[in-house]
Amino acid sequence: MSVISCKQLSHRFFQAGKENVILEDINFDVNAGESCAIIGKSGSGKTTLLNLLGLLDTPSQGRIHLCGQNTQELYKNDSNLSLFRNKNIGFIFQFHHLLYEFTVLENVLMPFMIQNLRPKEFSHKKEWGIHLLEKMGMIDKINSSVLHLSGGEQQRVAVARALVHKPLIVLADEPTGNLDTELAMTVFKEILDITHSYNGSAVIVTHDPELARQTTTTYHLSQHQLLRL
Ligand SMILES: Nc1ncnc2c1ncn2[C@@H]1O[C@H](COP(=O)(O)OP(=O)(O)OP(=O)(O)O)[C@@H](O)[C@H]1O
Ligand SMILES: [Mg+2]
């Protein structure tokens, strides 16, 4: 079953009265429990595509179905849109947007801290959050402020935060861009293993062809189109 399905997806930006075509007639699907990597030159539209899939922007044309739901319907109601996004999507941003006045663990558990969960439920989530930070090699820093972390450490906290609610759709924009080659491979594989462990699907943008080979399918974004490799 397709968890992500795009049909005839096109996107353009208008700047200073000029139309700039970024994506043109893109069709692609990702099945439950599968993953896909997207590679492509800087400026080719990878972040634009992820933003459309993550419901952070609306396409100029075409349709996106997520978890069987037509996302055009979701845009009609802001609270339905946020509910859907918070439940089903885990977004790892190219620039991580952590909350600098909180600790590593607080950043990861933030979605639950504002939900008023029962103590037992919160403690289950906390256990999973700590497990994710352990997988990310961050167990020694869970009570540190994120302010003093290195770029790569912040990136690994952002990965744990995006996976903490076990989203069916994980969208990652160069999640290993700040890591050395060995750690990049470890973190990349962990993102896939963790997502697949609960039958989630991942779309990961990367510049590294070696990492791109780890996913079920790989696409090259070039000249506004996705080409399957
Ligand atoms: N909000 C916007 N308004 C106008 N143009 C935009 C906007 N967002 C992106 N663009 C343009 O769209 C093109 C694609 O940008 P995008 O960020 O998707 O590229 P990318 O493939 O993610 O690049 P990189 O590998 O450098 O992150 C770029 O030329 C960019 O300038
Ligand atoms: Mg980008």
Side-chain angles (χ1 to χ4, degrees):
M1 188 201 123
S2 286
V3 170
I4 299 171
S5 176
C6 298
K7 297 268 180 288
Q8 298 170 320
L9 193 67
S10 296
H11 200 66
R12 320 174 184 95
F13 288 116
F14 289 91
Q15 246 182 351
K18 215 176 137 255
E19 187 184 60
N20 189 8
V21 176
I22 310 295
L23 307 171
E24 179 112 71
D25 199 20
I26 285 189
N27 297 286
F28 93 119
D29 283 74
V30 185
N31 292 330
E34 292 191 352
S35 53
C36 133
I38 297 177
I39 58 172
K41 279 190 191 150
S42 177
S44 58
K46 303 178 300 297
T47 297
T48 304
L49 177 59
L50 277 197
N51 286 346
L52 295 177
L53 297 178
L55 310 181
L56 299 171
D57 201 357
T58 48
S60 308
Q61 267 174 316
R63 289 190 309 272
I64 302 174
H65 280 76
L66 300 179
C67 306
Q69 171 121 26
N70 182 348
T71 56
Q72 267 168 347
E73 294 299 317
L74 287 172
Y75 279 109
K76 292 178 183 164
N77 180 314
D78 274 355
S79 68
N80 284 352
L81 181 68
S82 311
L83 274 174
F84 182 91
R85 206 194 277 134
N86 294 341
K87 177 166 184 268
N88 296 305
I89 299 176
F91 210 113
I92 305 164
F93 291 93
Q94 191 165 11
F95 308 101
H96 359 85
H97 307 302
L98 296 176
L99 300 167
Y100 289 101
E101 58 276 43
F102 293 95
T103 68
V104 165
L105 188 57
E106 284 165 347
N107 264 273
V108 171
L109 297 179
M110 196 55 71
F112 307 128
M113 288 165 73
I114 53 182
Q115 267 177 27
N116 223 351
L117 298 179
R118 277 174 290 139
K120 196 167 170 203
E121 213 177 329
F122 184 78
S123 118
H124 279 305
K125 307 283 190 196
K126 187 172 170 183
E127 226 171 88
W128 172 248
I130 292 172
H131 169 75
L132 292 176
L133 284 167
E134 194 169 13
K135 291 278 178 195
M136 289 299 122
M138 291 296 294
I139 197 72
D140 293 341
K141 300 240 166 150
I142 55 173
N143 293 317
S144 305
S145 160
V146 294
L147 193 60
H148 305 298
L149 299 183
S150 72
E153 288 170 337
Q154 289 182 32
Q155 203 161 22
R156 286 181 279 154
V157 177
V159 170
R161 182 185 56 181
L163 301 177
V164 77
H165 57 301
K166 300 188 180 175
L168 286 178
I169 298 169
V170 173
L171 304 171
D173 201 350
E174 296 186 46
T176 59
N178 288 325
L179 307 178
D180 62 78
T181 316
E182 195 183 331
L183 191 56
M185 183 58 90
T186 306
V187 168
F188 196 95
K189 281 186 171 164
E190 285 294 355
I191 294 173
L192 295 177
D193 284 353
I194 295 163
T195 308
H196 293 163
S197 75
Y198 58 82
N199 210 30
S201 307
V203 178
I204 310 186
V205 167
T206 177
H207 277 289
D208 185 336
E210 181 65 27
L211 297 182
R213 277 196 280 277
Q214 309 300 317
T215 51
T216 323
T217 48
T218 306
Y219 291 92
H220 184 207
L221 182 54
S222 170
Q223 297 183 324
H224 324 302
Q225 302 271 334
L226 275 186
L227 308 167
R228 190 166 172 170
L229 298 179

